[in-house]
Amino acid sequence: MQTTRICLLEHLSRHTVALIRGGQRQSARACLSQEGKGSQGMNKPELEALLEELDEALVKAFPGPEPMSVLVVGGACLLLQDVTTRPTEDVDVIIFEMMGSQESTLIFHSPIADKIRRIIKGIGKRHGLKGERQMFFNDDCAPFLLELGENELPPMRLLKTYQKLHLYVPSDLSYILACKLIAGRPEKDLPDIEVLCRLLGIQNRAQAQRVVDQYFPSPIHQATYLLPDTLDGIFGK
């Protein structure tokens, strides 16, 4: 698993500059804060039903033994673990194993990635999802998070194993709090931030700053994404 993870990080690193120049850094960042935007989103049973359907489709499309292993981040990570009940628009993931392929992302075109995207969009369409929401399972946020984390994934644990789809979550939910704080959209993420702060015993600005520093230590990144302003707005100066 370690080797596969390194291949993923190297692959995404080669394309980071292109993403930034193409204006996709903002969209990748925003993907962490889409829950509840423009619709009621999906609750846990609805999300689990879509994931089961996705797994069944992947089994049919890829009959070999190799799995698709992903780290679940964002609101879906909290919803699937019963940390919150707030509906989510999609499942944000970082893929670190994809059917035994050297490719480990759905962002860039490849035969396997294109095939998986068609499967996801087809399921989304059958369930009445429109436009970009049809990609209810995506890794759009991966370049943003890997850039911030200096190409390091957090420690993780297995949440659920389907036949083909293996879901992992961060071992420590402080990683999700750090993601939501540095995403810089407290107006969207404040409910989750408040829940995580209570759960983790984060009571003041200094404690929140230490959480972000643990995973995203670069002062340049923190300034770029206005972390000081976000912390001021939540905890005061």
Side-chain angles (χ1 to χ4, degrees):
M1 184 178 296
Q2 182 69 26
T3 301
T4 305
R5 183 186 306 171
I6 291 172
C7 289
L8 164 67
L9 300 180
E10 290 176 349
H11 174 76
L12 288 177
S13 296
R14 291 197 301 269
H15 295 274
T16 298
V17 173
L19 281 169
I20 294 171
R21 289 176 178 172
Q24 296 184 37
R25 172 187 277 183
Q26 182 65 27
S27 63
R29 172 191 178 197
C31 78
L32 294 171
S33 304
Q34 291 296 315
E35 290 82 11
K37 182 178 180 181
S39 75
Q40 294 182 348
M42 296 174 286
N43 59 30
K44 183 180 178 181
E46 292 168 337
L47 193 58
E48 289 178 330
L50 283 177
L51 290 172
E52 289 178 2
E53 188 171 340
L54 173 58
D55 180 68
E56 292 172 358
L58 291 175
V59 169
K60 293 179 181 178
F62 300 95
E66 297 84 2
M68 183 170 182
S69 301
V70 305
L71 175 66
V72 183
V73 296
C77 175
L78 304 180
L79 185 61
L80 291 172
Q81 296 183 86
D82 297 314
V83 176
T84 69
T85 58
R86 193 160 72 101
T88 183
E89 289 285 322
D90 57 7
V91 182
D92 297 315
V93 302
I94 299 175
I95 303 169
F96 57 90
E97 190 174 11
M98 194 164 77
M99 314 305 182
S101 170
Q102 292 184 350
E103 301 292 331
S104 298
T105 178
L106 300 177
I107 296 174
F108 308 111
H109 288 286
S110 72
I112 290 180
D114 291 346
K115 187 174 183 179
I116 295 173
R117 272 198 302 268
R118 287 194 296 270
I119 291 172
I120 296 169
K121 287 184 177 180
I123 294 172
K125 185 176 181 179
R126 286 197 298 274
H127 284 267
L129 302 180
K130 305 296 184 182
E132 294 182 356
R133 290 193 62 215
Q134 291 178 358
M135 280 294 295
F136 66 90
F137 184 96
N138 65 78
D139 66 333
D140 293 347
C141 61
F144 172 67
L145 293 179
L146 290 173
E147 178 195 5
L148 291 178
E150 299 179 353
N151 285 350
E152 292 290 338
L153 291 175
M156 52 189 168
R157 64 177 180 85
L158 183 63
L159 177 66
K160 185 167 184 177
T161 302
Y162 296 88
Q163 294 182 75
K164 204 71 172 174
L165 192 60
H166 296 180
L167 301 183
Y168 289 77
V169 293
S171 299
D172 191 333
L173 286 174
S174 62
Y175 177 77
I176 302 299
L177 177 59
C179 291
K180 289 184 173 292
L181 288 172
I182 205 165
R185 298 185 63 177
E187 71 281 1
K188 298 292 184 183
D189 285 329
L190 187 58
D192 287 344
I193 290 172
E194 290 177 340
V195 168
L196 287 168
C197 283
R198 287 196 299 269
L199 185 65
L200 298 169
I202 305 300
Q203 300 178 349
N204 56 54
R205 191 185 194 285
Q207 291 174 325
Q209 179 69 59
R210 285 195 291 271
V211 168
V212 178
D213 289 343
Q214 179 180 353
Y215 300 102
F216 310 129
S218 168
I220 295 176
H221 286 150
Q222 292 183 13
T224 299
Y225 296 110
L226 305 178
L227 176 65
D229 292 345
T230 298
L231 295 180
D232 287 346
I234 296 173
F235 298 99
K237 296 184 179 180

